[in-house]
Amino acid sequence: MAAPTLDDVAKKAGVSTATVSRCLNTPDRVVKATRERVMEAVKSLGYTPNFAARVMAAKRSFTMGAIIPTMDNAIFARGLQAFQEALHESGYTLLVASSAYTPEIEEEQIRALVSRGADGLLLIGHERDPSVYDFLARQNIPTLVAWSFDATARLPSVGFDNRAAMRAVTAEVIAQGHRRLAMISGICAGNDRATARVAGLRDAVVAAGMDPDAVPIMETHYGIETGAAAFEDLMARTPRPTAVICGNDVQAVGAMGIAAKLGLEVPCDVSITGFDDLEIATIASPALTTVHVPHRDMGRAAARVLVEMVEDKRIPASVELATELRLRASLAPPGG
Amino acid sequence: MAAPTLDDVAKKAGVSTATVSRCLNTPDRVVKATRERVMEAVKSLGYTPNFAARVMAAKRSFTMGAIIPTMDNAIFARGLQAFQEALHESGYTLLVASSAYTPEIEEEQIRALVSRGADGLLLIGHERDPSVYDFLARQNIPTLVAWSFDATARLPSVGFDNRAAMRAVTAEVIAQGHRRLAMISGICAGNDRATARVAGLRDAVVAAGMDPDAVPIMETHYGIETGAAAFEDLMARTPRPTAVICGNDVQAVGAMGIAAKLGLEVPCDVSITGFDDLEIATIASPALTTVHVPHRDMGRAAARVLVEMVEDKRIPASVELATELRLRASLAPPGG
DNA sequence: TTGTATGCGTTATCAA
DNA sequence: TTGATAACGCATACAA
């Protein structure tokens, strides 16, 4: 009735548990005849190794943990998928948890993954309480940060320069003649990507000799509906912005959706830009001008670096990836 | 250097490991003075229980596993989020894995979660190899199916009637005067939801006295781009369909996006319907007619039932939830 | 090549 | 209320 154990298999095959264990982990150290007999028993009993016992005995779990802010939208999906695929190729399983953009929950999830024996951890962004880093150091668990590059931060990272990327978008918007800008940003508290993107916008505005404090910034959670609500609010202001720069494609798509309902045409009446270049950006009407982030490359690079950290026990250099401005129809000079 | 253990805490607090364990698990069975001393030691050492050891000793993990076909889009996100929240309230942690709609990967993930000590499992849909059910039975692990209701299936389920729901959408489309229908469906092989939705469409077509074989059906993976491609293909046919019924909102949104690029207006030139009522359905322009699925209710109900299965060790009745047709602007009589 | 024996960190049983 | 100790299932050092 209970699940079969190594011992059951050993008895059935007429060998010791050590031999069964070897058959499963280092098959070439067992002669073929024995191995076949053991495998036969394994199959007929439907034996599955008990992971907890294996972790305890081997002190390795071949499991990596990742904690992302949300699973609710596509922001992290593509990169995480690539991360997972690359880990799988290296023989690791990925466990994913989400923090709901909440520091307390993130800490709880970190503990949960560590106590589950994760060999390494992937976190998003650098901004968190120092005690978290102390905990990670004490547990001696390799941890990598993604989605945000910062060579000076406490943990190594694989990411891109959010600030420079948003600076480039904004500069382009200004270059096309827009002077009344507005921004829809993610919640900046505890989110270094959102913070950096706001800073990037201000950089560009200042560089153009404009007043950064004259640019209204709506902070909302990443979401289609919240993006739509923020956009509606901005459109009700006087003077009305001619370009709305969004910190994320999800918000931008929400903005585009509500624009149609408000009787505003994009880009004639108002230009909209996004960030991330999610699948939805190319399919939206009009197609969304945005920042292309090499999510898949980032995910694969993160896997490579994290495995290296775990297996070689050394701290690697951070990796910076380039982003790229994708000019599409949602951005045009003011008035069309 | 290594992570602190129960023993370290016990030594530091000057008690036995048993007492420390009790402080953590059944605090009221320890006098306050002792408990405070122990907790003090726990905190100062930054102790985190070793999950593997705990699972081995207690034969319970307070962990549930869920395997969903994909994390790549929002289809399962909302329901899973609610599932997770409800489990959390009951003291369980959720581990999520994705199968990429591939039976082999699903089996692998099931084994991974079982061997990790999951107390219970949530799977999507009923269609899979019988050997999987044998394995689950032998491991004696409570398993629940969601997203698909079928009281006659081998496993209990919490879901809805995909076939009846799609029958209702199609009947409405026909009632509005459409005669040249087409469908964009998910891949039916191994997917009982997609299969049932196609069957529902045929039901309605037959009931209207029309020829079901005259309705072109494009099977594609759920995705914005694939939905767009399928739609483009359908629009190139003669005679051109006046209504395209999609098995999913994601495909429908892809179809709507490409429609604009093809110079087709929705719903004047072609009506489009979806399924799921994701956030994107209301924000799309025009808003998408679709089937509202009570994802959050389903997730919460699934959590309740699964916890019950694990804790009471009995097989519960399946739960059927009602879906609801949401008529919006993307569907109108042919010609506008 | 195979078997024996020990330890991994925790919970639970039984005594004290 | 607390402590000693036996599992739990597996990997591995060491012996044969």
Side-chain angles (χ1 to χ4, degrees), chain A residues 119-198:
Chain A
D119 292 334
L121 240 45
L122 185 79
L123 303 179
I124 306 299
H126 292 280
E127 199 171 330
R128 52 183 59 78
D129 198 277
S131 67
V132 173
Y133 296 119
D134 295 338
F135 172 77
L136 257 14
R138 186 158 34 193
Q139 296 285 333
N140 204 22
I141 178 162
T143 306
L144 179 66
V145 163
W147 258 264
S148 189
F149 173 81
D150 182 351
T152 70
R154 186 147 165 192
L155 292 180
S157 52
V158 171
F160 51 95
D161 188 334
N162 287 278
R163 183 168 183 165
M166 189 54 100
R167 191 186 300 138
V169 184
T170 308
E172 175 64 26
V173 170
I174 294 173
Q176 294 208 5
H178 291 275
R179 288 299 172 271
R180 295 202 305 275
L181 310 184
M183 180 173 194
I184 300 177
S185 166
I187 307 290
C188 290
N191 182 336
D192 61 354
R193 288 89 62 213
T195 305
R197 291 173 196 180
V198 169

Side-chain angles (χ1 to χ4, degrees), chain A residues 16 18-19 22 30-31 34 56:
Chain A
S16 73
T19 298
R22 276 189 288 260
V30 174
V31 285
T34 315
M56 280 234 317

Side-chain angles (χ1 to χ4, degrees), chain B residues 44-123:
Chain B
S44 82
L45 287 173
Y47 168 77
T48 303
N50 179 313
F51 185 76
R54 183 193 289 244
V55 169
M56 280 231 326
K59 300 180 162 186
R60 286 279 311 264
S61 68
F62 283 97
T63 296
M64 301 287 195
I67 298 163
I68 60 176
T70 179
M71 300 194 191
D72 234 33
N73 55 49
I75 300 177
F76 301 102
R78 206 193 326 165
L80 209 66
Q81 180 67 28
F83 181 63
Q84 197 261 93
E85 288 168 12
L87 283 182
H88 187 79
E89 287 167 17
S90 299
Y92 288 81
T93 301
L94 175 65
L95 257 33
V96 182
S98 88
S99 68
Y101 285 101
T102 309
E104 293 73 33
I105 298 185
E106 190 193 42
E107 293 197 31
E108 197 179 314
Q109 302 283 25
I110 288 175
R111 296 185 102 82
L113 288 171
V114 168
S115 88
R116 276 182 167 66
D119 293 334
L121 241 44
L122 184 80
L123 303 178

Side-chain angles (χ1 to χ4, degrees), chain A residues 55-71:
Chain A
V55 169
M56 280 234 317
K59 299 181 162 188
R60 287 278 312 264
S61 67
F62 283 98
T63 296
M64 300 286 195
I67 298 163
I68 59 176
T70 179
M71 301 192 189

Side-chain angles (χ1 to χ4, degrees), chain A residues 6-332:
Chain A
L6 248 204
D7 206 51
D8 297 327
V9 176
K11 283 206 183 78
K12 176 135 193 171
V15 297
S16 73
T17 60
T19 298
V20 178
S21 176
R22 276 189 288 260
C23 281
L24 267 27
N25 301 306
T26 52
D28 20 280
R29 307 187 64 180
V30 174
V31 285
K32 196 173 172 189
T34 315
R35 192 172 54 219
E36 279 169 354
R37 201 150 33 92
V38 170
M39 288 314 196
E40 180 59 35
V42 165
K43 183 172 286 182
S44 81
L45 288 173
Y47 169 77
T48 302
N50 179 312
F51 186 75
R54 170 177 284 193
V55 169
M56 280 234 317
K59 299 181 162 188
R60 287 278 312 264
S61 67
F62 283 98
T63 296
M64 300 286 195
I67 298 163
I68 59 176
T70 179
M71 301 192 189
D72 233 33
N73 56 47
I75 300 178
F76 301 101
R78 204 191 328 165
L80 208 66
Q81 180 67 28
F83 181 64
Q84 196 262 94
E85 287 168 15
L87 283 182
H88 187 79
E89 287 167 18
S90 298
Y92 287 82
T93 300
L94 175 64
L95 256 35
V96 182
S98 86
S99 69
Y101 285 101
T102 308
E104 293 71 32
I105 298 185
E106 190 193 41
E107 292 198 32
E108 197 179 315
Q109 301 284 24
I110 289 175
R111 285 184 174 277
L113 288 171
V114 167
S115 88
R116 277 182 165 67
D119 292 334
L121 240 45
L122 185 79
L123 303 179
I124 306 299
H126 292 280
E127 199 171 330
R128 52 183 59 78
D129 198 277
S131 67
V132 173
Y133 296 119
D134 295 338
F135 172 77
L136 257 14
R138 186 158 34 193
Q139 296 285 333
N140 204 22
I141 178 162
T143 306
L144 179 66
V145 163
W147 258 264
S148 189
F149 173 81
D150 182 351
T152 70
R154 186 147 165 192
L155 292 180
S157 52
V158 171
F160 51 95
D161 188 334
N162 287 278
R163 183 168 183 165
M166 189 54 100
R167 191 186 300 138
V169 184
T170 308
E172 175 64 26
V173 170
I174 294 173
Q176 294 208 5
H178 291 275
R179 288 299 172 271
R180 295 202 305 275
L181 310 184
M183 180 173 194
I184 300 177
S185 166
I187 307 290
C188 290
N191 182 336
D192 61 354
R193 288 89 62 213
T195 305
R197 291 173 196 180
V198 169
L201 176 133
R202 292 177 67 99
D203 288 349
V205 168
V206 168
M210 296 158 56
D211 175 13
D213 294 325
V215 178
I217 298 179
M218 301 280 299
E219 280 193 33
T220 77
H221 286 284
Y222 289 131
I224 291 182
E225 310 259 2
T226 54
F231 184 82
E232 191 165 4
D233 181 306
L234 288 171
M235 288 303 103
R237 304 196 178 192
T238 315
R240 205 173 68 200
T242 62
V244 175
I245 294 168
C246 301
N248 184 271
D249 284 358
V250 176
Q251 293 171 321
V253 167
M256 293 210 357
I258 198 82
K261 293 189 173 49
L262 294 173
L264 295 170
E265 264 208 69
V266 178
C268 316
D269 299 319
V270 57
S271 284
I272 295 177
T273 67
F275 199 114
D276 268 352
D277 199 19
L278 303 180
E279 199 182 21
I280 189 81
T282 58
I283 215 68
S285 293
L288 187 65
T289 288
T290 189
V291 174
H292 178 77
V293 176
H295 284 126
R296 291 196 54 85
D297 292 346
M298 182 165 63
R300 298 195 68 84
R304 185 172 47 68
V305 171
L306 187 54
V307 168
E308 193 181 309
M309 289 173 75
V310 167
E311 300 187 347
D312 303 350
K313 297 183 189 307
R314 68 152 176 267
I315 296 176
S318 291
V319 176
E320 180 172 9
L321 293 99
T323 59
E324 204 177 302
L325 190 54
R326 290 274 204 272
L327 292 172
R328 303 204 184 98
S330 74
L331 171 63

Side-chain angles (χ1 to χ4, degrees), chain A residues 282-287, chain B residues 256-264:
Chain A
T282 58
I283 215 68
S285 293
Chain B
M256 293 213 354
I258 198 83
K261 293 188 174 49
L262 295 173
L264 294 170

